[in-house]
Amino acid sequence: MSRTTRLSPTLVRAAAVTGIAALTLTACGSGSGSSSTSSGSGKVKVGLITKTDTNPFFVKMKEGAEKAAKADGAQLMTAAGKFDGDNAGQVTAIENMVAAGVKGILITPSDSKAIVPAIAKARAKGVLVIALDTPTEPQSAVDALFATNNLDAGKLIGQYAKAAMKGKAAKIATLDLAPGVSVGVQRHNGFLQGFGATDKDVACAQDTGGDQAKGQTAMENCLQKDPSINLVYTINEPAALGAYTALKAKGREKDVLIVSVDGGCTGTQAVKDGKIAATSQQYPLKMASQGVQAVVDYAKNGKKASGYTDTGVNLITDKAQTGVTSKDTAFGLQNCWG
């Protein structure tokens, strides 16, 4: 990971106000009247730090936090990494928010281990820190975790894939996230557990960063390595759509089963269109809204949220399989994000 640039205390305070930092730091509603940016407003300050501000999952998470903050009369400050994996930027955002006087920080860690020292410093100053979506390593590094059970999400699509293959021998490709990111590891392991396989059974494994173009390249590489691949697990739906594009170019889109995780609107529509067989849908708006409420409660009564709160997951498919609980794409499109 890139080195963290440490700012002087004066510059840190200035960055928190003006947004001059490795990330953009903003107050929700600035200029719109939905929340005040004045230090004298008396409102509870809540920080939200996401991996990026472009991924639809995190866009929806921000929307959920904004809505909850407005409803609770809180002031929301937001920041996002320049890219997925920008740990240095997230460290800077934590420092800025602590300097700005937030009562709590909600964070989706880009690097589950590297972010821990910065979180420890914030907690030592009395700031409640809640991880959303992605657990830290160790999970106890934060006060609480509000997230999908990513292992279960993986198991669901693994079980579905096993049933959908109907006894056919599987040649598996896994299009993963990146080394060391707990979400990716949990989904990958869950898929294999649900399918009843191990990494030894995987014909080709590639990292994609959850990116569609990289997903396409990864699938092209896997088809070169083993043209007989007939089952593809992907970390998310952009990677799945990249895989579909590569398979379609080879005329293989009809005979390769693709399963994924996330449940964004584009991905759910791809399930409806038959490009992806099934996906495990998670709910970022719920994570964010519950996180904001927890910070506001802490500010009001001093009670800290703790432990793990499962925000739920549903398997979405229009080709239900016996023994695997699922919901159809009509439900998925009503509850999708992005």
Side-chain angles (χ1 to χ4, degrees):
M1 304 301 296
S2 56
R3 294 193 305 274
T4 301
T5 301
R6 294 194 177 277
L7 302 176
S8 69
T10 301
L11 287 178
V12 168
R13 285 191 293 272
V17 177
T18 64
I20 302 172
L23 288 78
T24 300
L25 185 64
T26 60
C28 167
S30 178
S32 68
S34 63
S35 67
S36 172
T37 61
S38 168
S39 60
S41 67
K43 293 184 176 183
V44 176
K45 292 183 180 180
V46 182
L48 173 67
I49 305 171
T50 53
K51 294 179 183 179
T52 71
D53 59 7
T54 54
N55 186 311
F57 183 86
F58 300 121
V59 171
K60 180 58 67 175
M61 183 175 283
K62 181 178 177 181
E63 288 176 5
E66 289 172 342
K67 184 176 180 180
K70 185 176 181 180
D72 291 332
Q75 177 183 335
L76 182 71
M77 306 182 75
T78 65
K82 295 178 181 178
F83 54 88
D84 197 329
D86 182 13
N87 181 71
Q90 290 197 323
V91 169
T92 300
I94 290 174
E95 293 172 347
N96 292 345
M97 288 179 176
V98 172
V102 296
K103 194 66 176 178
I105 293 174
L106 314 174
I107 184 169
T108 59
S110 281
D111 188 311
S112 300
K113 293 181 180 179
I115 198 64
V116 168
I119 289 174
K121 290 179 181 178
R123 293 178 71 193
K125 293 184 178 180
V127 176
L128 178 71
V129 181
I130 298 173
L132 304 182
D133 178 56
T134 305
T136 52
E137 294 184 31
Q139 187 174 311
S140 59
V142 291
D143 291 288
L145 169 66
F146 293 173
T148 306
N149 186 320
N150 283 290
L151 188 70
D152 283 351
K155 284 181 179 178
L156 272 175
I157 57 169
Q159 292 166 355
Y160 175 87
K162 185 70 172 181
M165 291 295 285
K166 300 187 183 303
K168 186 189 302 183
K171 288 292 186 75
I172 303 170
T174 61
L175 305 192
D176 297 303
L177 186 57
V181 182
S182 55
V183 166
V185 172
Q186 290 167 0
R187 292 182 185 182
H188 172 100
N189 290 345
F191 165 74
L192 291 177
Q193 288 178 31
F195 193 82
T198 69
D199 281 312
K200 293 180 180 179
D201 301 309
V202 175
C204 181
Q206 296 268 305
D207 290 329
T208 68
D211 178 79
Q212 184 165 340
K214 291 178 181 177
Q216 181 176 344
T217 300
M219 191 72 248
E220 290 167 350
N221 292 339
C222 284
L223 289 173
Q224 277 192 325
K225 182 177 180 181
D226 189 341
S228 66
I229 284 169
N230 59 9
L231 172 60
V232 180
Y233 152 81
T234 69
I235 178 64
N236 65 5
E237 292 139 8
L241 289 170
Y244 176 83
T245 300
L247 288 164
K248 187 175 182 179
K250 295 289 187 181
R252 297 284 316 283
E253 75 276 16
K254 299 294 185 183
D255 62 318
V256 178
L257 187 75
I258 303 175
V259 294
S260 193
V261 179
D262 257 1
C265 294
T266 300
T268 304
Q269 184 64 45
V271 175
K272 183 176 181 179
D273 294 341
K275 296 177 181 179
I276 303 171
T279 192
S280 287
Q281 186 172 69
Q282 54 181 339
Y283 305 102
L285 190 150
K286 185 184 291 186
M287 297 175 198
S289 61
Q290 290 182 354
V292 169
Q293 185 61 58
V295 174
V296 172
D297 288 346
Y298 171 56
K300 289 180 177 179
N301 58 37
K303 184 178 179 181
K304 289 186 175 182
S306 62
Y308 168 58
T309 298
D310 186 349
T311 52
V313 64
N314 284 296
L315 182 74
I316 305 298
T317 183
D318 285 332
K319 298 178 180 178
Q321 299 296 320
T322 302
V324 184
T325 302
S326 65
K327 295 185 179 294
D328 62 18
T329 56
F331 174 91
L333 289 169
Q334 288 176 350
N335 292 277
C336 65
W337 41 268

